[in-house]
Amino acid sequence: MLEIMSAADESWMQRALELAERGRGAVEPNPLVGAVVVRDGVAVGEGWHERFGGPHAEVVALAAAGAAARGATLYVTLEPCCHHGKTPPCTDAILHAGIGRVVAAMADPFPQVAGQGAALLRQRGLVVDVGLLEAGARRLNAPYLKLLTVGRPYVHAKWAMTLDGKIATCAGESKWITGEAARRRAHEIRGRVDAIVVGIGTVLADDPELTARPAGPRTALRVVLDSRARLPAGSRLAANTAAVPVLVAVADRADPADQGRLRECGCEVLPLPAEAGRPAVNALLDELGRRRLTNVLVEGGAEVLGSFLDARAVDEVHIFMAPRLVGGARAPTAVAGQGIARLADAVCAAEVSVETLGQDVYVHGRVSTPPAV
């Protein structure tokens, strides 16, 4: 139960949320968690979950506080765990440290916690408040919550385009629409995700590597939607499968000989049911969820991006827009697919931010899908 919180409580929780963000890309599929130990109005210890398998935020903050933790308040962005996983229960560390009060932003829906951590601490005499800045905590851990509750990864859609919405000229030229600053940001995003998805058309046209340069905290699985198993053995994707894995999602009726050729190149081949002639989006996401991939970045081309939007599978968008106009009815636009007939059915972006990167503009937002009617 959440009691009336003070401005100081909110300030300390906001600090915990800021600390939690530092773990993005390094802790998944675990949640991002930050913690602050406060005594007599002063922070005596801080911490965040820094890497998967490493100490949890509460343990780091309590270690930093030392003896000053006794009788103090612990602010943490997620309910403390009470089970043995890769690390011992955080509730044990909290009790051992002598914390007097715990304020958690939200309950942890993970089945082995799910209110049990807060209940255990209350049984041992601690004051426990849950729900302070919960909306912010849920935004922070939207990918974790989606994987846990739906069994599918959180989907980021990314593209670069001109002011008139083109991703290439009528002759197919696309390098480079945006400048270096925008491309650096795109590589930063790549370095924080578990998989990067493109279509075979993009591979045949651009021969991309689909790696983060410089490398980020994660090395993404490279996924190619290739219904007929056409990925060239001489492509840059197929050339370094030993260093960075490649998953080729094919239609379940793809030629077995072509599938075998890809396997000989070191690619993993995943036959999936077909929709509109290409591997089904939701079947792919179900498989990636079974592998506990938390964040997936869809980079295109237009038909692939359109298929994910048609499936209402996009959670977040990253759009890089260059101050150029290229025109041309045959020049491809960023998103194809079936599209919608009524504006009321449009996929809308919320919490939109706009940032200037060199001469380009970066638009980022979370997707809000209208309810079915």
Side-chain angles (χ1 to χ4, degrees), residues 160-168 177 320-327:
M161 68 181 188
T162 61
L163 284 179
D164 51 345
K166 305 296 186 179
I167 59 173
I177 286 177
F320 297 89
M321 190 160 50
R324 302 182 181 191
L325 297 166
V326 301

Side-chain angles (χ1 to χ4, degrees), residues 209-211 219-222 236-237 239-247 266:
E209 289 185 79
L210 300 183
T211 55
T219 299
L221 171 70
R222 298 168 304 169
R236 290 199 285 180
L237 286 173
N240 68 340
T241 56
V244 186
V246 173
L247 173 68

Side-chain angles (χ1 to χ4, degrees), residues 339-363:
I340 52 114
R342 303 187 313 144
L343 283 174
D345 298 327
V347 173
C348 299
E351 302 175 36
V352 175
S353 64
V354 179
E355 181 181 353
T356 301
L357 297 174
Q359 295 298 308
D360 305 315
V361 173
Y362 169 46
V363 180

